[in-house]
Amino acid sequence: MALNTLGEKTIQTDGCCQTDGCCGPTQILGMAVESAENLAQLFKAISSPVRVQMLDILSRHGGDVCVCDIESQFDLSQPTISHHLGVLRKAGLIQSEQRGLWAFYFVRPDALAQVSGWLAGLAAKQA
Amino acid sequence: MALNTLGEKTIQTDGCCQTDGCCGPTQILGMAVESAENLAQLFKAISSPVRVQMLDILSRHGGDVCVCDIESQFDLSQPTISHHLGVLRKAGLIQSEQRGLWAFYFVRPDALAQVSGWLAGLAAKQA
DNA sequence: CATCTAAATCGAAGTTTGTCAATATGGTTT
DNA sequence: AAACCATATTGACAAACTTCGATTTAGATG
């Protein structure tokens, strides 16, 4: 159990361990580094105003949206739009489908739910 | 309404407008740029593995956590820890309280709920 | 087949981020 | 008051990100 220099407990152990020696201060890190990296990567993918708006557009529309229509909503070059869509796609948050000359994008609700769920869990643990 | 060069509708208008001319293609962007920037800033604050783990630690523990105990969970210098905590604090996701020599941090569930809520809304809109 | 079009990729410039050593700040102990 | 301790701030540097112009790719059209 972690003690500060006053000898006070600075981390309360929960349920499983009420006594010293049961589980040390390392216990307060309950998340695998790997999970943290996966989650951080998802958050990083959303962490741009452009990509937030892209997700908004795609979700607001029930189905597929043509890249050309996304492009027209921003004052950005075509390569930049393509880059941002690529970031969201590589993160697994959206998916694309080629139909003829056009590419259509749509959100992957499962991926969004995963991120949303983790955040909801954080807030919920706060009694 | 957006048409591709085949003359096909590439964006379906929803409920409010079924005919051309009611609301143009600009309608598909339903979010204020300002909101997008605010949300993106919150996501950016979470978009690092270190800060994801910090949020996990703080939420896993019901109350305040001393900085010294957070520090001991990472193989990072003290200034770096302080920097990451500062990013989360400036974003409004966590809050700190000075008690004597020590600083204690805790999460702000309302801020987490805001982000989580937006994401849940995105996923929900997908019928 | 030559041309056109939509989207992706490449390469480069400018900006932001992550990290640490050094230092500053503000409270505590002797 | 002098020394000490925990945390924050500053300054510097490397890595990553954003953006664009130029080019490439792949499908459609004449």
Side-chain angles (χ1 to χ4, degrees):
Chain A
M1 181 173 302
L3 302 179
N4 61 28
T5 45
L6 285 181
E8 300 165 341
K9 292 193 286 190
T10 54
I11 292 281
Q12 290 171 8
T13 53
D14 55 1
C16 87
C17 46
Q18 301 293 343
T19 60
D20 285 1
C22 158
C23 50
T26 59
Q27 193 59 21
I28 72 174
L29 210 176
M31 161 178 263
V33 176
E34 202 178 293
S35 309
E37 280 169 356
N38 286 340
L39 273 168
Q41 198 164 359
L42 290 171
F43 283 117
K44 185 172 293 182
I46 318 178
S47 71
S48 134
V50 173
R51 296 196 291 267
V52 164
Q53 288 188 84
M54 283 176 167
L55 286 175
D56 178 66
I57 290 172
L58 292 179
S59 79
R60 190 173 299 272
H61 181 258
D64 309 349
V65 182
C66 177
V67 168
C68 64
D69 286 316
I70 298 172
E71 227 174 292
S72 68
Q73 304 300 308
F74 297 93
D75 193 20
L76 291 171
S77 71
Q78 178 267 321
T80 299
I81 298 289
S82 190
H83 162 72
H84 285 297
L85 287 172
V87 170
L88 289 171
R89 178 165 34 81
K90 279 158 195 157
L93 292 165
I94 66 177
Q95 204 173 332
S96 73
E97 192 184 301
Q98 199 79 21
R99 289 209 286 273
L101 275 179
W102 299 279
F104 293 83
Y105 277 81
F106 51 96
V107 305
R108 295 181 50 173
D110 53 324
L112 291 175
Q114 179 191 348
V115 185
S116 161
W118 181 75
L119 279 173
L122 286 195
K125 271 179 210 126
Q126 297 310 110
Chain B
M1 182 173 304
L3 302 180
N4 60 28
T5 45
L6 285 182
E8 299 165 342
K9 291 192 286 189
T10 55
I11 292 282
Q12 291 171 8
T13 52
D14 55 4
C16 88
C17 43
Q18 302 294 345
T19 60
D20 284 1
C22 157
C23 49
T26 59
Q27 192 61 20
I28 72 173
L29 210 175
M31 160 178 265
V33 177
E34 202 178 294
S35 310
E37 280 169 356
N38 286 340
L39 273 167
Q41 199 162 359
L42 290 172
F43 284 116
K44 186 173 295 185
I46 318 178
S47 71
S48 133
V50 172
R51 296 196 289 271
V52 163
Q53 288 189 84
M54 283 176 166
L55 286 175
D56 178 65
I57 290 172
L58 292 178
S59 79
R60 190 173 298 271
H61 180 259
D64 309 348
V65 181
C66 177
V67 169
C68 62
D69 286 316
I70 300 172
E71 226 173 295
S72 67
Q73 305 300 309
F74 297 94
D75 192 21
L76 290 170
S77 72
Q78 178 269 319
T80 299
I81 298 289
S82 191
H83 161 71
H84 285 297
L85 287 171
V87 170
L88 289 171
R89 178 166 33 79
K90 280 160 194 155
L93 291 165
I94 66 177
Q95 205 173 333
S96 73
E97 193 184 301
Q98 200 79 21
R99 289 208 288 273
L101 275 179
W102 299 278
F104 293 83
Y105 277 81
F106 50 96
V107 305
R108 296 182 51 173
D110 51 325
L112 291 176
Q114 180 193 346
V115 186
S116 159
W118 181 75
L119 279 173
L122 285 196
K125 270 180 212 127
Q126 297 310 109

